């Protein structure tokens, strides 16, 4: 149960900084909801629903991604490079998987908070989306996936600049491409195929289906889980290999 | 308790540690003395399983550091050179989480935390965030944290680097009082006086190689316990003698010119280092 110690350490920061995270977590969703839900989206319909209803699941997916990925990745980068507190875990009699699990759970928690904020905000904007068990499972899987990716990237990347580069090359494009703001039916088939390689796409697809009461794309959910497990296992290997 | 056999570490072309061989006995306070970049931290990182040796082997508390890292980790405490305390936590929380990582039962954690906070004189600051601590306070807490789980072997990497003399003395007292507890200590330093004051035996390390190893007094005795420095108009000549008398005699004989002078003092480890390497330690 060593992972619980690692997780509780994260939990302590989460509790102490809750309001900071809370208000900081509101800014982006507010901007996105205003710009795409209200501004651009007024009067538009997509796939048979109002654009606001269409876009909210996508915004939840991308915010969960951002919160989970950044909270784990950036904190890990700092604790490895600057404060060197990560070393305390490496010299303690704790297995790599416990360290990874504890950190990833911390990131999942941040993703959940971020998703919860948007669910509440989007209601205020008049969105009619429901939070089913499938939606919750998708949010959890998305948070797990991107917290694990944050762990992996945080272990592999040393300089803060490379961290920004990774964001610019992968995370930001994913935000805009992954069927968050537009329907995959609107782009040529080969583009849609490429976009389906991105894990966030599957999070959007699952979440939109779950929240709008459509048929749940179980294959996409499996892709999410597979990505998550792969990143998680790769992080464990990266932690094991970190003594060089 | 600690054994190194031809322990070697290369970072690419850089030779950080070259073929170190020595042992540290149970209860001994052993010092690695050497200038910056000598390979002290790299040696400690290999012994504490953080860095993989390029070649050679090492055992800590009977376990191979590469083959059985978990067994080694259970038995060691580390106060690294950089102050890697968790600044977002209080002093007490730092110790509490540390104790939990080492599976200490709650009652024992509580007792040990009080004991250690008193030991390092931080009772009054126990519930303050560590990021507000001074360097000396952090250093003391770092040692307390390393001792939290009552390790058999304690590694202290430059335990007083960057501290003012008064704080340094406090840390020295702490290290001295560990002696009674039977814990084996391997410390590194580039302060001559620190090695002389605290260590039973000192290994002098330079450019990754061990160039001398003995008790401070033996190291000095081998060179000559007394040093005479003869000043010839800006040039200093150093000679070593087993007795003060011989040193005085040599000085009197060789400082004859008007501008010449000489002085006699006890030999220190810096003399040993200079004699062995032709350079000063800092
Ligand atoms: N991670 C690393 N990568 C490359 N070179 C390193 C690394 N760590 C240490 N070195 C080099 O190894 C040598 C020994 O360093 P170190 O063990 O830190 O010395 P000390 O602790 O005695 O000051 C130095 O030349 C240093 O630059
Ligand atoms: Mg060092």
């Amino acid at each position: 149960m060593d992972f619980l110690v690692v997780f509780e350490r994260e939990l302590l920061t989460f509790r102490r900084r809750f309001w900071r995270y809370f208000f900081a977590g509101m800014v982006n969703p507010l901007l996105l909801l205003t710009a795409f839900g209200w501004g651009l989206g007024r009067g538009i319909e997509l796939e048979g629903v109002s654009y606001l209803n269409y876009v909210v699941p996508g915004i939840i997916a991308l915010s969960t991604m951002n919160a989970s990925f950044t909270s784990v990745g950036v904190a890990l980068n700092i604790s490895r490079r600057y404060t060197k507190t990560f070393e305390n875990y490496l010299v303690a009699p704790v297995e790599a998987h416990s360290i990874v699990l504890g950190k990833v759970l911390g990131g999942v928690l941040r993703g959940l908070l971020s998703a919860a904020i948007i669910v509440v905000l989007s209601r205020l904007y008049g969105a009619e989306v429901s939070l089913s068990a499938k939606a919750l499972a998708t949010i959890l899987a998305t948070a797990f996936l991107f917290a694990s990716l944050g762990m992996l990237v945080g272990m592999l990347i040393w300089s803060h600049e490379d961290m920004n580069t990774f964001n610019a090359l992968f995370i930001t494009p994913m935000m805009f491409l992954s069927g968050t703001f537009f329907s995959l039916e609107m782009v040529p088939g080969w583009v849609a195929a490429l976009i389906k390689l991105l894990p966030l796409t599957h999070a959007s697809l699952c979440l939109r289906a779950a929240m709008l009461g459509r048929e749940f794309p179980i294959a996409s959910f499996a892709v999410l889980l597979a990505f998550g497990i792969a990143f998680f296992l790769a992080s464990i290997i990266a932690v094991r290999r970190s003594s060089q | 308790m600690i054994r190194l056999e031809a322990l070697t570490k290369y970072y690419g072309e850089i030779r950080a540690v070259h073929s170190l061989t020595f042992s540290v006995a149970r209860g001994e306070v052993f010092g690695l003395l050497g200038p910056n970049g000598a390979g002290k931290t790299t040696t400690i990182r290999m012994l504490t399983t953080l860095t993989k040796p390029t070649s050679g082997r090492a055992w800590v508390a009977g376990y191979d550091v590469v083959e059985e890292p978990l067994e080694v980790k259970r038995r060691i405490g580390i106060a690294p050179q950089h102050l890697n305390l968790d600044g977002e936590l209080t002093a007490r929380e730092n110790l509490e989480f540390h104790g939990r990582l080492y599976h200490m039962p709650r009652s024992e954690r509580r007792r040990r935390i009080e004991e250690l906070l008193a030991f390092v004189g931080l009772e009054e600051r126990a519930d303050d965030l560590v990021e507000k601590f001074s360097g000396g306070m952090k250093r003391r807490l770092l040692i307390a944290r390393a001792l939290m789980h009552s390790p058999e072997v304690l590694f202290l990497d430059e335990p007083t680097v960057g501290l003012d003399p008064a704080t340094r003395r406090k840390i020295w007292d702490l290290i001295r009082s560990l002696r009674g507890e039977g814990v084996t200590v391997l410390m590194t330093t580039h302060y001559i006086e620190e090695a002389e004051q605290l260590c039973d035996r000192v290994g002098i390390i330079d450019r990754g190689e061990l160039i001398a190893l003995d008790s401070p007094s033996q190291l000095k005795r081998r060179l000559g316990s007394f040093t005479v420095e003869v000043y010839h108009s800006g040039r200093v000549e150093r000679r070593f003698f087993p007795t003060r008398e011989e040193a005085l005699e040599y000085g009197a004989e060789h400082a004859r010119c008007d501008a010449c002078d000489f002085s006699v003092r006890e030999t220190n480890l810096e003399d040993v280092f200079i004699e062995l390497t032709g350079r000063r330690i800092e």
Side-chain angles (χ1 to χ4, degrees):
Chain A
M1 297 314 246
D2 289 335
F3 77 91
L4 275 180
V5 186
V6 181
F7 176 59
E8 277 176 46
R9 161 66 192 85
E10 303 300 314
L11 202 59
L12 204 65
T13 304
F14 184 81
R15 286 211 305 261
R16 284 192 185 148
R17 298 198 176 162
F18 181 81
W19 293 110
R20 209 183 309 172
Y21 292 157
F22 184 80
F23 288 111
M26 283 178 45
V27 177
N28 255 321
L30 279 176
L31 295 176
L32 291 173
L33 284 168
T34 307
F36 295 102
W38 267 7
L40 201 68
R42 198 172 287 266
I44 300 182
E45 283 211 349
L46 204 59
E47 293 180 8
V49 294
S50 80
Y51 189 67
L52 181 66
N53 287 348
Y54 179 85
V55 87
V56 163
I59 293 179
I60 294 178
L62 82 82
S63 297
T64 307
M65 164 180 86
N66 270 337
S68 293
F69 175 80
T70 311
S71 67
V72 176
V74 171
L76 185 59
N77 189 242
I78 292 172
S79 76
R80 285 179 68 221
R81 177 139 192 208
Y82 299 102
T83 65
K84 306 222 185 258
T85 48
F86 192 68
E87 217 171 80
N88 296 329
Y89 289 130
L90 295 179
V91 294
V94 180
E95 305 260 17
H97 55 77
S98 302
I99 303 174
V100 172
L101 183 55
K103 290 273 180 194
V104 166
L105 286 179
V108 167
L109 192 65
R110 291 286 297 279
L112 290 183
L113 171 67
S114 158
I117 290 173
I118 301 163
V119 170
V120 173
L121 283 181
S122 65
R123 290 271 165 86
L124 299 180
Y125 275 74
E128 300 141 335
V129 287
S130 69
L131 206 54
S132 61
K134 280 179 184 143
L136 222 66
T138 305
I139 293 171
L140 269 174
T142 307
F144 172 75
L145 190 166
F146 288 103
S148 298
L149 181 61
M151 190 74 202
L152 181 62
V153 172
M155 284 311 297
L156 298 181
I157 278 179
W158 184 245
S159 91
H160 195 71
E161 242 167 61
D162 290 347
M163 199 80 194
N164 290 337
T165 309
F166 186 88
N167 263 318
L169 284 180
F170 296 100
I171 300 296
T172 311
M174 244 195 299
M175 280 175 59
F176 290 98
L177 291 180
S178 299
T180 312
F181 301 110
F182 57 84
S183 165
L184 291 185
E185 291 161 13
M186 297 157 78
V187 295
W190 64 273
V191 177
L194 280 182
I195 289 177
K196 282 202 168 171
L197 293 176
L198 304 171
L200 184 62
T201 306
H202 299 280
S204 296
L205 286 175
C206 289
L207 209 52
R208 185 164 296 127
M211 297 188 94
L212 298 178
R214 298 174 181 170
E215 194 192 339
F216 193 67
I218 202 80
S220 280
F221 191 72
V223 171
L224 279 187
L225 288 182
F227 266 114
I229 291 167
F231 291 148
F232 187 81
L233 294 179
S235 308
I236 294 175
I237 294 169
V239 171
R240 285 209 189 114
R241 291 221 177 130
S242 64
S243 63
Q244 287 178 355
Chain B
M1 275 314 255
I2 305 173
R3 191 150 72 87
L4 293 75
E5 254 182 39
L7 197 65
T8 299
K9 179 70 187 182
Y10 279 77
Y11 288 106
E13 293 284 287
I14 302 170
R15 185 178 86 177
V17 170
H18 182 72
S19 197
L20 285 194
T21 300
F22 62 84
S23 300
V24 181
R26 183 183 294 272
E28 188 175 13
V29 178
F30 185 94
L32 271 181
L33 172 70
N36 279 323
K40 305 182 295 294
T41 298
T42 305
T43 304
I44 288 212
R45 286 181 64 88
M46 287 192 282
L47 294 176
T48 56
T49 77
L50 280 172
T51 295
K52 289 251 183 323
T54 308
S55 63
R57 295 182 72 182
W59 296 262
V60 173
Y63 294 95
D64 187 303
V65 295
V66 176
E67 304 293 328
E68 301 150 301
L70 215 57
E71 296 299 331
V72 171
K73 288 174 185 178
R74 279 190 235 283
R75 291 166 177 81
I76 60 174
I78 306 158
Q81 185 173 348
H82 43 263
L83 300 158
N84 71 344
L85 296 157
D86 197 330
E88 292 172 13
L89 304 183
T90 67
R92 193 189 299 282
E93 286 163 349
N94 264 278
L95 298 177
E96 169 70 13
F97 275 110
H98 185 88
R100 290 185 58 192
L101 280 178
Y102 288 79
H103 301 148
M104 293 171 70
R106 179 191 297 266
S107 60
E108 198 189 328
R109 291 200 303 268
R110 199 169 293 166
R111 182 187 60 75
R112 188 78 175 145
I113 287 174
E114 295 314 319
E115 185 180 302
L116 283 170
L117 286 172
F119 178 62
V120 299
L122 288 172
E123 303 107 307
E124 257 119 68
R125 306 298 299 270
D127 297 307
D128 291 350
L129 289 185
V130 167
E131 62 194 4
K132 295 186 185 129
F133 281 19
S134 70
M137 290 162 64
K138 283 184 185 162
R139 197 54 80 176
R140 280 183 278 154
L141 183 59
L142 202 65
I143 295 178
R145 191 184 66 184
L147 288 169
M148 177 71 190
H149 54 287
S150 309
E152 293 174 45
V153 184
L154 182 64
F155 293 91
L156 303 172
D157 196 1
E158 310 247 9
T160 68
V161 72
L163 297 180
D164 61 86
T167 316
R168 175 168 301 165
R169 267 165 218 289
K170 267 189 216 159
I171 304 256
W172 285 3
D173 288 339
L174 282 182
I175 297 172
R176 281 200 195 96
S177 54
L178 291 176
R179 223 170 246 291
E181 318 218 335
V183 48
T184 307
V185 178
L186 191 152
M187 58 178 285
T188 75
T189 183
H190 65 270
Y191 298 119
I192 309 284
E193 203 191 344
E194 190 160 285
E196 290 201 81
Q197 291 270 334
L198 298 176
C199 300
D200 299 317
R201 285 191 307 148
V202 174
I204 299 182
I205 179 173
D206 184 40
R207 293 175 180 157
E209 284 186 275
L210 192 69
I211 52 176
L213 191 162
D214 215 326
S215 67
S217 56
Q218 273 300 333
L219 285 169
K220 290 182 283 185
R221 198 171 303 154
R222 260 197 264 151
L223 188 62
S225 299
F226 292 91
T227 304
V228 57
E229 286 173 323
V230 182
Y231 313 98
H232 314 271
S233 48
R235 199 163 51 81
V236 187
E237 180 200 356
R238 231 179 244 111
R239 291 282 172 126
F240 307 96
F241 295 93
T243 63
R244 187 179 288 277
E245 287 68 37
E246 286 166 89
L248 284 167
E249 205 171 294
Y250 182 91
E253 245 172 64
H254 288 80
R256 286 245 170 91
C257 66
D258 277 349
C260 295
D261 198 3
F262 76 97
S263 67
V264 171
R265 59 175 172 80
E266 289 186 16
T267 301
N268 61 40
L269 288 183
E270 171 124 50
D271 300 316
V272 177
F273 185 83
I274 293 172
E275 199 59 21
L276 288 169
T277 65
R279 288 177 293 116
R280 299 187 73 84
I281 208 161
E282 274 152 319

